[in-house]
Amino acid sequence: APPPPPLLPFDSQITDVLVNCTEQLYDRARLDFENASLMYSNIGSHTPGLPDGMRIANVGRVFSTGRTVDLIVKNESLYEAYRHSMSKMKGRFPQVNMLSPQPDEDIPQRETEFTFTFVDSATGQPEVLSSFTITFLDFDQGDEEGNGRECASIPVADSTSGITEIGYLSDVEQPLDVGEDPSRGGWVRVCSSREGIGFDNPLNAMRLNQGQKEKSFFATYRGVSQFRVSYSIGSHGWGGRNFLIR
């Protein structure tokens, strides 16, 4: 049976809860990035001879079969990287690097939609998981004025998305700006509200401090093999910015 449609309005999906983002245990699959490794990184097909996308090996195991699953990340719209080599495993976190709008560019933001697909490690075929949770980490910006603001948009009104819940990692005040994406009907947009520096990036999913939790959120899915996310970076940034999941 198809997954139940997500609850609306959007505010009803944003809950203040704490989750353990190190490993998720479900009736069919276990996601655990501790033993994951980068197979190749070629989002946007910038390197001839390599498969398109970024593939992370051994991100989980299906209980019913014992087979492992990999995660493949591909861009579905125009993608520009600041440094292609920065799309990789950053410690135990899959990381996607994007080019920020530069100070001399007269554009409001740079945005790319991505698909994240779970596949059987041996066959490469999509693997439908009965339930899984993804944590999106380290949403911040270049300064307190909002330059280089990071956002993620996620489809929720489409019944095929499989999404059942979106929530915070922090159980205190609302740390992120959350609402309906004004340019995409039926999508929720989560944006940074605080300045970030390299020294405050998460290093260990088991030991996120309060500030790192406040810059992160999670989404739970059922009965799908992939999820979609549109990442964007606001104007007047510099260099590039990285997006982490777990």
Side-chain angles (χ1 to χ4, degrees):
L7 298 174
L8 294 177
F10 296 107
D11 288 347
S12 67
Q13 300 175 16
I14 311 303
T15 56
D16 295 338
V17 296
L18 285 169
V19 297
N20 181 341
C21 63
T22 300
E23 63 181 19
Q24 294 93 31
L25 298 177
Y26 305 107
D27 54 345
R28 276 203 65 215
R30 175 179 184 264
L31 297 185
D32 183 359
F33 291 89
E34 288 303 313
N35 297 311
S37 61
L38 179 69
M39 289 185 65
Y40 55 81
S41 180
N42 194 30
I43 299 176
S45 297
H46 62 89
T47 302
L50 284 179
D52 180 36
M54 177 171 70
R55 184 164 179 169
I56 309 296
N58 194 24
V59 302
R61 184 177 298 275
V62 179
F63 285 153
S64 60
T65 64
R67 298 172 70 91
T68 59
V69 294
D70 298 348
L71 179 64
I72 298 178
V73 185
K74 291 186 177 182
N75 63 299
E76 300 298 328
S77 60
L78 178 65
Y79 169 69
E80 296 177 271
Y82 176 58
R83 291 177 180 169
H84 287 287
S85 61
M86 294 297 289
S87 290
K88 61 179 183 178
M89 284 294 292
K90 180 69 177 294
R92 297 298 89 194
F93 302 98
Q95 173 176 283
V96 173
N97 177 264
M98 287 178 57
L99 177 69
S100 299
Q102 301 303 295
D104 59 349
E105 290 185 286
D106 187 21
I107 57 175
Q109 65 179 16
R110 178 167 278 116
E111 183 171 15
T112 301
E113 183 177 332
F114 298 90
T115 56
F116 294 73
T117 305
F118 295 102
V119 300
D120 183 285
S121 297
T123 68
Q125 295 301 305
E127 182 71 43
V128 174
L129 304 181
S130 61
S131 180
F132 61 93
T133 296
I134 296 295
T135 304
F136 301 85
L137 301 110
D138 196 38
F139 277 76
D140 51 29
Q141 54 204 37
D143 55 36
E144 292 301 327
E145 285 69 46
N147 292 319
R149 189 185 201 198
E150 295 179 349
C151 295
S153 293
I154 299 174
V156 297
D158 181 355
S159 62
T160 63
S161 70
I163 196 163
T164 62
E165 184 182 16
I166 298 176
Y168 297 125
L169 264 66
S170 173
D171 58 352
V172 294
E173 63 179 298
Q174 180 171 323
L176 297 167
D177 291 336
V178 183
E180 187 172 0
D181 189 326
S183 64
R184 297 167 181 261
W187 290 55
V188 163
R189 185 172 67 174
V190 182
C191 294
S192 62
S193 62
R194 300 177 184 175
E195 181 180 2
I197 56 176
F199 295 109
D200 65 8
N201 291 346
L203 299 175
N204 187 325
M206 279 291 288
R207 299 179 180 177
L208 296 178
N209 60 39
Q210 184 60 35
Q212 291 166 340
K213 290 177 182 178
E214 291 174 1
K215 295 180 180 181
S216 304
F217 70 98
F218 73 91
T220 298
Y221 300 83
R222 289 187 181 277
V224 292
S225 61
Q226 69 174 214
F227 59 96
R228 290 184 292 159
V229 182
S230 186
Y231 287 132
S232 64
I233 306 172
S235 61
H236 303 295
W238 52 89
R241 301 196 72 84
N242 299 312
F243 294 89
L244 305 174
I245 66 165
R246 178 72 183 195

